């Protein structure tokens, strides 16, 4: 067992948690064994069970949101069902499929698991996979670019006699997200966090060829067999994380409309581009005041979160009255009382904006961006356009995280340590994100043509 600690500003690890981690390390260090560098080599069930038990014990001790969306009895049954499958030797990848389904079942988007680096490297260099990265939209999947076998816009109906709807549902059972939110899972499978080809192999196994049933753009249905290929040759590859030239932008549109794009709340990213959110907001809202801009669109569609207080800072510019942000913050051992956004009321900024606001969100609007969205929604500050946020409306489990390596298989699990509860009114769903007032989902043709229909709709709405 190996622990590594990851921290964000304003998020401190308590002494009781440090003690727990030290004791866990002492308890399991003798069980440590380097995973064999062989995708096909079976692992003894005793070793798999040891890993599973150590993960179970660690989650119970340090995961502050383990029972956020499911009761302890439900979570215990989930662990029991998975443990019963460990009664025979299996490969690392087969075991990972069980662990990833377990992690998904916890329903926490900050809790994630990954195969060891050596196995990932083998997937990249030695395993032939489904050769195209498709784009999932709702219950359908499309080829998003021209390939050797299919033109852009081709709809994939089935692979190996499994309908695309069945495949999507099965793959999503191995992806983590807050509660019942699906938009974050679409982001993960579409944009490279868990590429389709890799996930399909984990769930259904490795094969040389794939029988594909598809529909052309013209509506003709056909079937063909395509050969697998290495990841380096993947067609329509997912973009992964793209580092922009700027994370913070303010632009203007006709009709007295400004568009403020905030792609991150993470100070560590802003430092890389020599930007500062505090300075940007101060200058931007002063400029909006000077220009007498009466309509503002705030685009959070690429914002995966970041430092806690940046969301509260942004909202302080959008209100003229005191507001609550976090209702509570806790670890498994204690309640946190000294966080600056836990005070009873936050104060509005003296230069606060009083005009009309429209918010743009997507499944990438996660963690701190989802927190901000829930506060803006609960205070009725403006209309939401786009797609449901990837993070929960009532909060998340995040802050510091422990990277925990299972002792025998070396599967990596990221475990968040602090449970954040937002100061929000009751919503219709207890396990969802901020749901937009206007659900606007781009079609495959919109994506191919680079047509931003969400922004177009937001501009029309702001102009009214």
């Amino acid at each position: 067992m190996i622990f590594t600690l990851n921290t964000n500003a304003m998020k401190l690890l308590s002494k009781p948690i440090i003690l727990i981690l030290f004791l866990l390390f002492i308890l399991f260090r003798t069980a440590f064994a380097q995973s064999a560098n062989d995708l096909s080599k079976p692992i003894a069930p005793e070793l798999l069970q040891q890993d599973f038990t150590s993960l179970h014990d660690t989650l119970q001790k340090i995961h502050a949101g383990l029972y956020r969306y499911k009761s302890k009895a439900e979570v215990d049954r989930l662990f029991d069902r998975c443990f019963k499958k460990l009664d025979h030797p299996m490969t690392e990848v087969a075991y990972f499929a069980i662990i990833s389904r377990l992690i998904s079942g916890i329903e926490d988007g900050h809790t994630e698991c990954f195969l060891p680096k050596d196995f990932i490297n083998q997937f990249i260099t030695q395993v032939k996979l489904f050769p195209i990265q498709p784009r999932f939209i709702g219950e359908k999947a499309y080829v998003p670019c021209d390939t050797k076998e299919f033109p852009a816009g081709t709809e994939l109906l089935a692979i190996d006699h499994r309908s695309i709807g069945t495949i999507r549902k099965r793959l999503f059972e191995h992806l983590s997200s807050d509660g019942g939110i699906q938009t974050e899972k679409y982001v993960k499978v579409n944009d490279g966090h868990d590429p389709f080809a890799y996930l399909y192999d984990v769930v259904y196994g490795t094969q040389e060829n794939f029988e594909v049933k598809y529909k052309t753009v013209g509506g003709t249905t056909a079937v063909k067999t395509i050969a697998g290929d290495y990841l380096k040759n993947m067609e329509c590859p997912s973009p992964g994380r793209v580092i922009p030239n700027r994370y913070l932008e303010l632009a203007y549109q006709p009709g007295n409309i400004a568009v403020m794009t905030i792609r991150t709340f993470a100070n560590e990213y802003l430092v890389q581009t020599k930007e500062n959110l505090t300075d940007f907001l101060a200058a931007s809202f002063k400029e909006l005041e000077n220009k007498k801009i009466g309509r503002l669109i705030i685009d959070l569609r690429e914002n995966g979160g970041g430092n806690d207080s940046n969301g509260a800072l942004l909202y302080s510019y959008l209100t003229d009255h005191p507001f609550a942000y976090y209702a509570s913050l806790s670890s498994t051992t204690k309640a946190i009382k000294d966080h600056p956004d836990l005070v009873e009321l936050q104060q509005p900024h003296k230069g606060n904006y009083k005009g009309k606001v429209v918010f743009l969100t997507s499944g990438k609007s996660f963690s701190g961006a989802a927190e901000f969205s829930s506060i803006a929604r609960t205070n009725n500050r403006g209309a939401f356009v786009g797609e449901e946020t990837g993070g929960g409306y009532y909060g998340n489990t995040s802050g510091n995280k422990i990277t925990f390596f299972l002792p025998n298989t070396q599967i990596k699990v990221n475990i968040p340590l602090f449970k954040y509860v937002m100061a929000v009114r009751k919503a219709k769903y207890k396990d969802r994100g901020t749901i937009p007032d206007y659900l606007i989902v781009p079609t495959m043709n919109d994506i191919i043509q680079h047509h931003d229909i969400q922004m177009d709709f937001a501009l029309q709405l702001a102009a009214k």
Side-chain angles (χ1 to χ4, degrees):
M1 173 184 300
I2 298 176
F3 291 103
T4 61
L5 173 64
N6 296 272
T7 61
N8 288 327
M10 307 305 301
K11 299 181 177 181
L12 302 177
L13 190 63
S14 64
K15 291 182 179 179
I17 290 179
I18 292 175
L19 178 59
I20 289 172
L21 296 177
F22 176 75
L23 293 175
L24 284 170
F25 176 76
I26 294 299
L27 178 61
F28 292 107
R29 64 180 179 176
T30 56
F32 177 87
Q34 180 62 41
S35 58
N37 189 21
D38 186 347
L39 285 169
S40 61
K41 182 178 180 179
I43 304 171
E46 295 81 8
L47 298 178
L48 302 175
Q49 292 167 6
Q50 286 177 11
D51 276 10
F52 191 91
T53 300
S54 66
L55 175 60
H56 189 189
D57 291 346
T58 303
L59 287 168
Q60 287 182 312
K61 288 180 171 67
I62 68 175
H63 194 304
L66 188 59
Y67 310 117
R68 182 169 204 143
Y69 292 106
K70 292 182 177 178
S71 68
K72 185 178 186 305
E74 290 174 312
V75 173
D76 287 346
R77 286 196 293 272
L78 172 64
F79 275 94
D80 289 343
R81 287 196 302 271
C82 291
F83 187 82
K84 288 178 181 177
K85 297 177 181 179
L86 309 178
D87 59 354
H88 62 281
M90 63 182 68
T91 66
E92 177 95 8
V93 176
Y95 182 60
F96 177 76
I98 294 174
I99 295 298
S100 61
R101 190 159 185 174
L102 169 74
I103 296 300
S104 175
I106 293 172
E107 298 185 350
D108 177 72
H110 286 84
T111 307
E112 299 177 306
C113 60
F114 306 91
L115 278 166
K117 286 185 178 180
D118 56 349
F119 284 95
I120 294 295
N121 290 336
Q122 288 185 77
F123 263 106
I124 294 173
T125 60
Q126 300 178 24
V127 180
K128 289 188 175 182
L129 306 169
F130 189 79
I132 300 167
Q133 170 62 38
R135 177 85 183 189
F136 282 82
I137 302 174
E139 291 296 316
K140 298 181 179 182
Y142 301 88
V143 178
C145 73
D146 291 329
T147 73
K148 292 178 293 186
E149 301 285 355
F150 306 104
T154 301
E155 182 183 350
L156 302 179
L157 301 176
I159 301 174
D160 301 324
H161 305 287
R162 304 180 184 100
S163 72
I164 283 296
T166 298
I167 292 171
R168 183 203 62 80
K169 182 178 179 181
R170 180 79 182 275
L171 298 191
F172 277 22
E173 291 173 351
H174 296 262
L175 297 174
S176 64
S177 69
D178 287 351
I181 297 172
Q182 297 293 292
T183 54
E184 184 189 1
K185 297 189 178 190
Y186 279 101
V187 169
K188 286 181 174 180
V189 76
N190 283 337
D191 289 4
H193 184 285
D194 293 271
F196 172 81
Y198 157 77
L199 198 57
Y200 188 89
D201 186 281
V202 167
V203 173
Y204 291 112
T206 301
Q207 55 198 80
E208 289 289 323
N209 299 294
F210 302 86
E211 183 181 288
V212 180
K213 183 178 181 181
Y214 62 98
K215 182 191 293 185
T216 66
V217 174
T220 302
T221 299
V223 177
K224 70 167 58 176
T225 298
I226 62 176
D229 207 342
Y230 299 114
L231 197 62
K232 66 179 181 179
N233 301 323
M234 187 68 54
E235 297 186 279
C236 310
S238 53
R241 179 173 176 261
V242 178
I243 300 177
N245 293 325
R246 295 188 63 81
Y247 288 97
L248 311 174
E249 293 183 290
L250 182 65
Y252 296 94
Q253 295 287 338
N256 196 34
I257 300 173
V259 178
M260 180 180 289
T261 303
I262 302 178
R263 297 184 176 91
T264 188
F265 282 143
N267 291 338
E268 62 183 296
Y269 294 160
L270 294 172
V271 167
Q272 296 173 13
T273 53
K274 298 181 180 179
E275 297 175 276
N276 180 284
L277 184 65
T278 300
D279 294 343
F280 170 79
L281 294 178
S284 295
F285 283 103
K286 183 64 176 177
E287 187 172 302
L288 295 178
E289 180 182 11
N290 292 339
K291 290 179 178 289
K292 296 182 171 55
I293 299 297
R295 300 172 175 88
L296 174 64
I297 296 171
I298 297 180
D299 188 352
L300 300 169
R301 288 177 295 173
E302 298 291 324
N303 192 323
N307 294 68
D308 285 359
S309 295
N310 283 340
L313 175 64
L314 174 58
Y315 192 74
S316 73
Y317 278 95
L318 300 176
T319 183
D320 59 4
H321 59 273
F323 64 97
Y325 203 74
Y326 294 127
S328 67
L329 172 58
S330 60
S331 69
T332 56
T333 58
K334 69 173 184 178
I336 309 301
K337 300 293 186 182
D338 56 354
H339 192 288
D341 297 333
L342 275 172
V343 295
E344 184 174 351
L345 290 175
Q346 303 287 308
Q347 296 303 312
H349 196 278
K350 62 181 180 180
N352 63 79
Y353 178 77
K354 298 178 175 60
K356 181 178 182 179
V357 183
V358 176
F359 301 98
L360 274 169
T361 59
S362 75
K364 295 182 183 179
S365 307
F366 186 60
S367 196
E371 292 176 349
F372 165 83
S373 298
S374 69
I375 295 300
R377 163 54 59 80
T378 202
N379 287 288
N380 296 317
R381 186 55 185 91
F384 280 80
V385 173
E387 299 169 78
E388 180 180 358
T389 59
Y393 170 80
Y394 286 105
N396 57 69
T397 308
S398 58
N400 300 101
K401 67 180 179 182
I402 291 296
T403 299
F404 172 75
F405 293 86
L406 276 62
N408 298 300
T409 60
Q410 289 294 285
I411 289 172
K412 182 175 76 171
V413 182
N414 290 333
I415 305 175
L417 304 181
F418 294 99
K419 180 180 180 180
Y420 290 77
V421 178
M422 306 308 297
V424 292
R425 294 176 298 169
K426 187 176 180 180
K428 181 178 180 180
Y429 303 103
K430 67 177 183 179
D431 63 344
R432 299 286 294 277
T434 296
I435 299 174
D437 302 287
Y438 304 93
L439 176 63
I440 308 295
V441 181
T443 66
M444 191 66 250
N445 188 59
D446 292 327
I447 295 170
I448 292 172
Q449 299 297 325
H450 303 288
H451 184 191
D452 191 349
I453 62 170
Q454 295 173 334
M455 180 60 77
D456 288 350
F457 187 93
L459 288 167
Q460 294 172 14
L461 186 63
K464 291 182 179 179

